[in-house]
Amino acid sequence: MTKVLILNANQQPLYPVHISHARLLLSQGKATVFQRYPFTIILKESLSHLKLEQLGFKIHPSIKIIRNP
């Protein structure tokens, strides 16, 4: 299954969407191509009615961070 990276209007990453959903956003003029490799689209304005969640990450509390001096 191919996914397309998507950015909101403020260039914040959102969860990747299926290629057909990205194609629909592009054909409706709600998004434009931001980058070709990796293929990324950017929304022209914030779309509140769509279920596009902002991408985040979690850090496990028991992971040790090793820093190089």
Side-chain angles (χ1 to χ4, degrees):
M1 184 171 7
T2 305
K3 297 284 187 173
V4 175
L5 301 175
I6 185 168
L7 302 174
N8 67 10
N10 299 325
Q11 295 187 357
Q12 298 298 315
L14 302 171
Y15 277 103
V17 295
H18 194 268
I19 194 166
S20 61
H21 191 209
R23 190 179 299 124
L24 182 65
L25 289 171
L26 289 169
S27 66
Q28 291 176 347
K30 295 181 179 180
T32 186
V33 176
F34 181 74
Q35 186 174 319
R36 288 186 179 240
Y37 185 82
F39 190 73
T40 308
I41 63 173
I42 186 167
L43 299 175
K44 291 185 177 179
E45 54 188 49
S46 60
L47 303 175
S48 60
H49 63 279
L50 291 176
K51 286 193 169 186
L52 299 175
E53 299 178 23
Q54 189 166 8
L55 187 62
F57 66 94
K58 295 181 181 179
I59 298 175
H60 195 278
S62 66
I63 294 177
K64 295 180 182 178
I65 299 174
I66 301 172
R67 295 184 183 181
N68 292 333

